[in-house]
Amino acid sequence: MDFEKGQLVKSKAGRDKGEYFLIYDIVDDKNVLIVDGKIRRLEKPKLKKKIHLSKVNKKSNILDTIDKNDIQSQNKKIKREIDSLIQE
């Protein structure tokens, strides 16, 4: 499973099972950092094992345009982006 930054994923295990996230960063060959703009925000992304995620064939470039100075509005953008990717 080759995950990419900005990839839309769905959690298969844990408390967040069934929730959608964007991959914020790839930590190593087994773990990634994920964000959703609601509970898992840019300030505190969640470390998640790749085996606990299922890949959705949709990708967003929104994480490339993140403004670190205005994190609050960036979290809202991520939340809206995930919602629009799910609706497609």
Side-chain angles (χ1 to χ4, degrees):
M1 277 198 256
D2 53 325
F3 289 96
E4 301 175 44
K5 185 176 179 179
Q7 176 80 44
L8 183 67
V9 293
K10 187 174 183 180
S11 175
K12 295 192 293 187
R15 282 187 195 163
D16 54 15
K17 183 178 181 179
E19 297 291 322
Y20 289 92
F21 297 92
L22 287 179
I23 293 183
Y24 181 62
D25 198 13
I26 295 164
V27 178
D28 55 33
D29 57 339
K30 292 185 180 182
N31 299 297
V32 293
L33 290 173
I34 55 175
V35 292
D36 68 355
K38 296 179 282 189
I39 296 165
R40 287 298 166 182
R41 302 165 75 79
L42 287 169
E43 306 90 90
K44 194 173 181 193
K46 179 175 176 84
L47 182 68
K48 190 97 171 163
K49 291 187 179 189
K50 290 180 181 181
I51 60 169
H52 294 155
L53 296 170
S54 65
K55 201 164 142 181
V56 179
N57 287 330
K58 295 181 183 176
K59 190 174 178 227
S60 170
N61 295 327
I62 197 162
L63 295 175
D64 298 334
T65 62
I66 293 289
D67 178 12
K68 302 282 185 195
N69 299 325
D70 189 13
I71 297 235
Q72 192 129 21
S73 71
Q74 301 302 317
N75 281 317
K76 288 179 187 174
K77 283 183 187 176
I78 288 171
K79 184 176 179 276
R80 276 187 299 230
E81 182 72 12
I82 290 172
D83 291 341
S84 73
L85 285 172
I86 293 168
Q87 299 301 319
E88 287 180 1

